[in-house]
Amino acid sequence: MPNTPTIQAFFDEATNTVSYLVSDPQTKRAAVVDPVLDYDHASGKAATRSADVILKAAAKDGLTVDWVLETHAHADHLSGAPYIKLKTGAKVGIGEHIRDVQKIFRPVFNATDLSGDGSEFDHLFADGERFALGALEVEVMHVPGHTPADIAYMIGDAVFVGDTLFMPDFGTARADFPGGDAHKLYRSIQRLLSLPPKTRLFMCHDYKAPGRADYAWETTVAEQRAHNAHVKEGVSEADFVAMREARDATLAAPELLMPSIQVNMRAGHLPPPDLNGIQYLKIPVKLSA
């Protein structure tokens, strides 16, 4: 089938994240979607085990990695993009609205080194932009709501949706982070669900909904339309927003929110070293009266 990619999934149980190695079977050109840096918050130690597994798979199949494609600035894991780039020379891309995320969080962390224009990344994708991955064509879809910068990558009949949707039995992403918007999330989801019913959708996370024994990350537009716990056919925007906002009000912040945002808005790089040469992650502290 023309324009059909080869897809390998890599699940990181520590962060419930799915990364993908996507390749063109004709030319062996490839992209890595949403790679994870292994990070232990208690010790501050980081490792590249997860990224190395992906690189080993690429080498085994004779693939050349041209891109690291981020769906958004993740709040639940640190990106392994710089390591993949170091090892392969790949370019790191993200949606152009990462500028909005940088402007929101730069003052939160007093990140004076941050550009605010997204230049930490090699390429900022616009909605509707198309680019080649070997003989394959990739189309970018701006799907805001979870964050202002979320994008999905469509390659043939496969779409990598980031955090916009979860598996049908788990529902949808939260929309309460700064810059998030449940109304925009609903409209973004409807855009995805307007694709042909057999379109394959690949999730960025899975948390095993109650009653399901195994992790899963691939579904279809038809399955989401029929069965999504939050936004199946017949659910109105008003009902979805009411549900999403009520649910979000009960959710705790992700464990790795503070380190993840600081790193991922810098294209996966740590903040610059302090005067002693050591790199630090900041935790803003708010005292309750």
Side-chain angles (χ1 to χ4, degrees), residues 261-279:
I261 290 296
Q262 290 176 77
V263 168
N264 296 338
M265 67 182 181
R266 292 180 169 94
H269 293 283
L270 292 169
D274 213 329
L275 295 177
N276 60 2
I278 297 175
Q279 293 170 290

Side-chain angles (χ1 to χ4, degrees), residues 213-226:
D214 299 316
Y215 290 110
W217 43 80
E218 180 181 348
T219 181
T220 66
V221 166
E223 290 169 349
Q224 292 282 14
R225 288 180 189 171

